[in-house]
Amino acid sequence: MNKQSQWIAGINAVASAVEHDAENVREVLLEAGAKNPRIGEIETQARRAGIEVRRVAQNALDGVAGGLRHQGAVARYAAAKTWGEDELEGLVAAAEGKALVLVLDGVQDPHNLGACLRSAAAAAVTAVVIPKDKAVQVNATVRKTSAGAADSIPVVRVTNLARCLRDLQQQGVWIYGLAGDAEASLYKLDLKGNVALVLGGEADGLRRLTREHCDQLVRIPMPGEFESLNVSVATGVALFEAVRQRQ
């Protein structure tokens, strides 16, 4: 595998790559004799798209997948498709006053990022913004965990998150940061217009500079014993409150 490609594993991840971004799929390896009908569907669609397909033994897939649960399907995929900072403005403008942007400030666990992207895709977000440094990037584990969402929504990598938030504000986007120590409730907000929801990393939450660039900090009310939620769970709660209001 060269530096410009990576292996992705799992039926959903491979099927999504073939469906949404076939030009970046270099080859597909499928388990010989697999009974799952979806394996056959992947083969048919991949061949139709002109992608090389090989049937191989399960142990060969095990070796390529590197410990990931492959379910009989892996693909050699071009470097993760991401969007540039200069494209975010156009994405927001195209939403015509109803942009919903998810900003993740330093998520480290690829499984959490994948779960966040899956929720973001389900909520039809305009874009997901992640920092280039001190945060996990879209890799094979993220793609698999996201069940294909990583390839179906714009993921914008930014060099300076604070500057990105300022740029969003200049476009008329309200920036709401989720923090456990905030007084205001998420459920009291009007989330029907241009909105960016900002969530912090697993360990420390929102960084100081990120907090300072939010228009308001809010919390998810929790009557139970625990004071915080996993970032992917909090992302789902916040995004679908916006979805509820917009329906």
Side-chain angles (χ1 to χ4, degrees):
M1 181 178 66
N2 62 49
K3 294 181 179 179
Q4 299 304 313
S5 63
Q6 63 182 177
W7 290 100
I8 58 174
I11 287 175
N12 286 336
V14 173
S16 177
V18 170
E19 179 180 357
H20 298 292
D21 201 15
E23 66 181 19
N24 287 315
V25 180
R26 302 295 181 246
E27 65 177 324
V28 172
L29 306 183
L30 302 173
E31 183 179 349
K35 305 296 185 184
N36 190 327
R38 291 196 64 198
I39 295 291
E41 293 171 6
I42 291 173
E43 180 171 14
T44 299
Q45 188 164 7
R47 292 191 186 281
R48 189 178 296 143
I51 300 168
E52 179 183 355
V53 179
R54 289 190 287 146
R55 289 279 188 164
V56 300
Q58 180 179 335
N59 59 357
L61 293 176
D62 293 341
V64 169
L68 293 175
R69 183 166 174 263
H70 56 71
Q71 302 168 299
V74 300
R76 186 164 62 85
Y77 197 79
K81 181 180 179 181
T82 54
W83 296 61
E85 295 182 54
D86 57 341
E87 297 176 280
L88 182 58
E89 180 178 352
L91 290 168
V92 171
E96 299 181 335
K98 295 185 179 297
L100 178 58
V101 180
L102 173 64
V103 181
L104 298 173
D105 180 22
V107 172
Q108 303 289 331
D109 186 334
H111 295 91
N112 278 336
L113 178 56
C116 289
L117 294 180
R118 188 169 184 174
S119 293
V125 300
T126 305
V128 177
V129 176
I130 61 174
K132 289 182 178 179
D133 299 319
K134 298 181 180 179
V136 67
Q137 303 301 300
V138 178
N139 57 29
T141 302
V142 172
R143 276 180 163 138
K144 179 173 174 57
T145 307
S146 76
D151 298 308
S152 64
I153 56 174
V155 179
V156 181
R157 298 170 65 232
V158 301
T159 303
N160 187 315
L161 191 58
R163 182 178 64 203
C164 175
L165 295 179
R166 287 198 302 270
D167 291 343
L168 285 171
Q169 287 169 325
Q170 290 174 1
Q171 277 193 273
V173 178
W174 286 90
I175 313 293
Y176 297 113
L178 272 74
D181 59 352
E183 294 184 4
S185 167
L186 168 71
Y187 304 130
K188 299 296 185 181
L189 298 178
D190 180 352
L191 301 174
K192 296 187 288 291
N194 282 333
V195 169
L197 297 172
V198 189
L199 290 97
E202 297 89 347
D204 302 319
L206 296 177
R207 291 177 292 177
R208 178 187 58 81
L209 200 57
T210 302
R211 292 170 69 104
E212 291 176 358
H213 282 81
C214 292
D215 291 303
Q216 186 176 357
L217 296 178
V218 297
R219 61 181 174 84
I220 297 173
M222 287 178 285
E225 297 178 2
F226 292 97
E227 297 180 356
S228 64
L229 297 172
N230 173 281
V231 62
S232 64
V233 175
T235 293
V237 171
L239 288 177
F240 279 91
E241 171 60 16
V243 170
R244 183 191 68 80
Q245 292 188 20
R246 292 165 185 238
Q247 289 181 337

